[in-house]
């Protein structure tokens, strides 16, 4: 493809266009417009629920839905043939209101959300559940833990009610009875469905906290979080559009950078759109986001050539898709940067991004790749069984990339020095040197030199281990005292 | 006892009655009514404390006590014969205002609180302090740590002043010089004694946070916490009664579910009343709460027969009590559920409770019981000394149930997937397989098969360990790469 | 020096005087007074930055600077000969506004801050960075982690722009191009520079959180934090002076005790002034704070004799200083106590301080000193290499004092029982007994008795290990079951 010179303004349109893609509607359900709001049975719902489960009705009364005349039945009504239709006080309803249902009015949000890493959160872990949730934990853990964030594959019983092994559930990648993926109420708490609430950092806490993804803690420990805490009441969280730099300037929240509008950058419900790196992987990759003609999306390693528009590609689910557009890592970075520059200079922003990228690259080359090579060597020589987690080193390796390694990379990406270092890379280093290597050598036995130490020697970043005479005051012993 | 048919309304009265039990007053101190408020020396206290420790006086000025005309002396006055009476600026006062003192006006709250798990918090750990606080830590830790939550056994010196090894202290099970147990200011911060403050989740943080009981963190990471953070200002925290579903509907706090009024359910100051399970134990049990004629209370395993009214029972302190009422696990669950259904449907609530119970049962049968059996085997054969914590495996076992096991169970009970799994059952599984079992086999030596592996074989939930060929992509190695 | 009798009022003046020391101005930059505010180029800055990086201009508009007529150029203007001067839209400016720049108006704050432990935060770790940041981590970690709290040594490139390996950075001990140390925006977020924001506990979170210094978490888990959460809106955080006991009484924040005014005690920007103990050290020491004639400061062990006024002393940087004043540990404690007594009685305050000191002394004598002696023995005999962190026990020892040991001591100092015990001294004990001692014995090999066990025997606080028959119910086995 010969290079094409584009005018600056055309390039801007092109650049932004990927962030306002209108996908072909995946929803088959009837669209609703305002003239159809206000189902005639709605008053009866509210009247009864003012006595029974009254909080639920009050939350709705406090909602934009109530103000707009959208009632219980507008969202919960179902067709008799729907898998999860039940009869309730003379009405045919479904307990679950799926993204497809919400999409009857909130079309743009639904289309952006479908195919996003959020919508795919259950699909991408389903084949891993036996090894971790079942073996290390037990089947009860899936409903109460994994599925509460990732979503459940909701099972409808013969009578239309929902199997308690799969529901209650508001996991973000829930496989709904109508085939749609996700749960809007994961972020927009029922039955208020508040914009403002979903814009607060606490909206993400249920899933983005804890050892493997302490994003809420990282935010709180960052300059952004510190300033947000002080100025929350000036954040204008209820604004219709909530454009950074216009509607608020005190601080960003999670939503600002990952989904929010800023200057000319439009908002999106595809939360991963602006992410350059895969950070929750054994080794991070810069990634393309491929968008297909049918609205599906796929991440691809950014070190291969970008697929061209019109190319047919096999997808994870076995189908073939036609490429409609590709967001390159550079474009994804540019999009994120458009948020930064609402409050920071360009030099500041670029300097920060370099510091972040350097941490990811350090993790990759010094720890991630060697650890993976060592594990591969152990598996290949049959020194470990293929079953995950039946040998202690598999927990060490898992936590090295999935927990402390992810924390270090996320900490650097969102500016919590504590998470980047003490809860991140310090532990990566400590566990690599003091736990993983000894365990790997023990597992390798007579093969330790070829499986473990050869990898370290080839790497070149571990030579300090061979310099036992370096003195430092760090442990509290002045160098001269130690002879 | 033959079954008795009761009318629905009578059953409701009976059901709720256990939650409004009026105990025989344990307080011997004179009761106060409003006509006695406003001790004549109070003005002098305030006048002086406006200059010295002025914050203390200002907190009181901002309090409901000040508004009602209750002054310093109304609470702090003492009789010369009181163990902790001191003379202060010409008045006889006591530094500690005990629950018995508060109960002179707040009779219902005092009676509910006495005998509760909160009031007994020091008594239930007293015999365990040598092994943990003294041996593993040291005696200074008791005053600064254990006792700050559990309460101290307050020691009065000869001159009526309080021994600094036991005071300052506002632990919730403090043994006061007047014999009463607890400290109202543990939750209601001095000298404001605010209802609103005690209704916030932060009221519980001092004790219900950290590795062994991260309840505040669990709440914050739950849907409830996420919605509370957004809508705190609508929570009507200052309301006189604060009935869920009536006075507030945005979200519950700790108090809502464990102590709060909801619909027809009355509030209580017995924080454990609505808890079905013992969750901080090696193996969880469903529990009866037995209430005796003299107001004392006792938890009993729910898998035995419920004691009947009028039965005489021996109690932990050696005394014999006459059973006045028994709250069965089912009734305790029903009481808690009355809070849930103010905002959730019955099916939702039942489904959630099943998910929670399933986690507790999984913990019990897959990890708690086998680990206990293995430890018992080691102790019985003399493979471990009876002294706790002098062998490393005793720390591993302790943390298995007391820390990560408790976190997993609490996480499931209050809907933090992170705590249920990553900070809970994932660690239980990891530590059971990768630490506890190897340490137990090492301690057992030649007895490992009978003491350790026989227990696993009999259990039936660890068979995956014997299937070394299970492939999974979870560690980052596609199954086909590992041969 | 013969004792001198001083009148009470003179002693008070003397006592307080150390806390209002006016140091000889270290700033050579021209002083600014209000008549010089309002640089003529300022309007152009704001006009352009209303379009570009508009948040930045809006933050300034919301600031006290804007209200007072202090504009962008008043702070950012530079001289052509300044190392980091750049030309920007026709003006000569510097990106970094250093404490010396701020000190042109905020003289008192600048002088207090220079020489403080905050200002020296980078200097005191610089020689330790190779062993930890570089070896265990990698050079990318310094910019993204260590330096983000401690500050970077800012490197200016040939064109006057800042090296991304050292900037963006707002670490509190940053070595600025003009030679000054620190970063005011570390606590006072740019470009708002809000007093109120810096008084909130969140102002400290970026650095004072996490495993080695969870001060923000400790505060939040204390009674102070619990009450602050409830009454933040009554804290009068915007007050001009913010004197505890006068301007607010609900609760203290970090600033209140460490820097704030209280009663007659003046505020200070030397954050370490009121600290008695070194708490982040292998063994804690009570400390003198020596203030030299040239404004430099130095901590000295409090168990030696206090240097007298006028004494010449060698300093860490090789220079010699003349002692101007010395704050003894007792005086530092008295200063802190002046904050406490605004809301607490004297007996309460003294009792608390005794409980805190007892924890530090327990840590020192039972764990800190023996562990150090054992490590010294291993180093002296060549049983460990001098290089830090190339042997696993060095991580165990490091975390014993730098992480869990620091947490225990800080937890006791700020009243979080959880941090004092479960996240502190419990882990110190567990790791000392179950990890450090076995690792030390393994490293010592045949020397274990003389290097390890002789230290324990001489200590006298570990005798419980030799009493294997102590029974306790703590692990869930009633004593009688274990025979």
């Amino acid at each position: 493809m010969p290079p094409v010179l584009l005018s600056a303004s055309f390039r801007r349109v092109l650049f932004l266009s990927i962030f306002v893609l209108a996908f072909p509607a995946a929803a088959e359900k009837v669209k609703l417009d305002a003239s159809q709001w206000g189902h005639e049975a709605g008053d009866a719902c509210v009247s009864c629920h003012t006595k029974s489960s009254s909080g639920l009705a009050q939350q709705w009364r406090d909602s934009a839905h109530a103000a707009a005349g959208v009632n219980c039945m507008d969202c919960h009504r179902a067709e008799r043939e729907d898998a999860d239709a039940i009869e309730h006080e003379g009405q045919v309803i479904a307990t679950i209101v799926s993204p497809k249902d919400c999409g009857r009015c909130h079309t743009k949000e639904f289309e952006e959300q479908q195919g996003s890493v959020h919508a795919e959160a259950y699909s991408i872990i389903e084949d891993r559940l036996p090894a971790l949730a079942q073996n290390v934990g037990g089947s009860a853990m899936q409903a109460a833990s994994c599925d509460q964030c990732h979503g459940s594959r909701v099972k409808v019983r013969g009578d239309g009610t929902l199997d308690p092994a799969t529901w209650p559930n508001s996991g973000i990648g829930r496989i709904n009875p109508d085939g749609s993926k996700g749960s809007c109420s994961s972020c927009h708490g029922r039955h208020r469905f508040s914009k403002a609430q979903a814009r607060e950092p606490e909206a993400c806490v249920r899933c983005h906290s804890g050892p493997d993804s302490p994003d809420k803690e990282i935010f709180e420990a960052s300059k952004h979080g510190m300033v947000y805490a002080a100025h929350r009441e000036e954040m204008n969280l209820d604004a219709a559009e909530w454009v950074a730099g216009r509607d608020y300037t005190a601080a960003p929240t999670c939503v600002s950078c990952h989904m929010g509008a800023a200057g000319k950058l439009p908002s999106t419900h595809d939360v991963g759109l602006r992410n350059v790196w895969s950070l929750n992987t054994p080794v991070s990759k810069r990634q393309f986001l491929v968008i297909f003609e049918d609205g599906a999306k796929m991440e691809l390693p950014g070190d291969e050539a970008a697929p061209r528009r019109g190319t047919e590609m096999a997808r994870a689910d076995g189908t073939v898709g036609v490429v409609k557009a590709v967001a390159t890592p550079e474009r994804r970075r540019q999009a994120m940067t458009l948020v930064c520059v609402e409050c920071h200079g360009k030099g500041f922003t670029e300097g920060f991004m370099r510091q972040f990228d350097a941490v990811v690259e350090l993790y990759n080359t010094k720890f991630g790749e060697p650890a993976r090579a060592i594990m591969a060597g152990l598996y290949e020589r049959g020194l470990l069984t293929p079953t995950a987690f039946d040998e202690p080193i598999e927990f060490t390796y898992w936590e090295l990339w999935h927990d402390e390694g992810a924390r270090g990379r996320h900490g650097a990406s969102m500016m919590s020095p504590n998470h980047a270092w003490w809860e991140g890379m310090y532990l990566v280093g400590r566990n690599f040197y003091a736990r993983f290597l000894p365990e790997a050598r023990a597992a390798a036995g007579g093969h330790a030199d070829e499986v473990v130490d050869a990898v370290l020697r080839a790497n070149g970043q571990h030579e300090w281990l061979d310099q036992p005479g370096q003195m430092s005051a760090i442990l509290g012993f002045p160098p001269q005292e130690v002879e």
Side-chain angles (χ1 to χ4, degrees), chain A residues 213-244:
Chain A
S213 53
D215 304 306
K216 191 245 186 177
E217 296 92 322
I218 290 170
F219 173 80
E220 286 185 345
S222 74
K223 207 82 173 275
H224 289 155
M226 147 189 163
V227 177
Y228 171 79
H231 298 302
R232 174 175 175 257
E233 59 275 20
E234 301 168 19
M235 290 289 289
N236 206 7
L237 288 158
D238 269 319
E241 294 186 86
W242 210 54
V243 180

Side-chain angles (χ1 to χ4, degrees), chain A residues 287-325:
Chain A
Q287 295 191 118
F288 294 114
L289 179 68
V290 180
I291 298 121
F292 295 98
E293 291 287 350
D294 63 0
K297 297 171 191 169
M298 190 166 72
E299 301 274 1
L300 274 187
D303 48 10
E304 299 169 15
R308 296 186 188 180
R309 187 171 175 155
T311 308
E312 294 197 338
M313 296 188 69
R315 300 183 290 202
D317 63 359
T319 62
V320 169
V322 178
V323 173
K324 178 175 176 180

Side-chain angles (χ1 to χ4, degrees), chain A residues 437-465:
Chain A
L437 292 181
E439 288 171 357
R441 289 194 188 102
H447 300 272
D449 188 71
E450 69 191 89
V451 176
V452 180
D453 293 288
V455 172
L456 294 185
R457 282 193 300 271
N459 181 273
Q461 296 183 72
H462 304 282
E463 287 161 4
W464 70 275
L465 288 173

Side-chain angles (χ1 to χ4, degrees), chain A residues 121-198:
Chain A
Y122 180 79
S123 302
I124 58 183
I125 65 155
E126 191 165 20
D127 69 334
R128 285 138 216 240
L129 288 166
L132 191 60
Q134 306 294 333
N135 286 355
V136 177
S139 59
M141 296 319 295
Q142 191 178 330
S145 304
C146 322
D147 287 3
Q148 291 299 328
C149 288
H150 286 270
S152 61
R153 185 176 282 283
V154 178
K155 205 170 145 192
V156 184
R157 294 186 288 201
D159 61 355
T161 61
L162 307 171
D163 184 338
T166 65
W167 193 84
N169 184 280
S170 58
I172 200 131
R174 189 179 64 199
I175 314 287
N176 297 298
D178 65 7
S180 66
K181 292 177 174 178
S183 164
C184 302
S185 74
S186 196
C187 308
H188 298 273
R190 272 189 313 262
H191 282 95
R192 184 78 167 265
F193 301 104
S194 157
K195 272 184 178 184
Q197 178 250 301

Side-chain angles (χ1 to χ4, degrees), chain A residues 42-66:
Chain A
D43 286 351
C45 305
V46 173
S47 165
C48 187
H49 275 293
T50 300
K51 288 167 218 142
S52 172
S53 301
S54 59
L56 181 160
Q58 188 56 46
Q59 289 160 7
W60 169 80
R61 261 186 223 104
D62 294 337
S63 75
H65 281 157

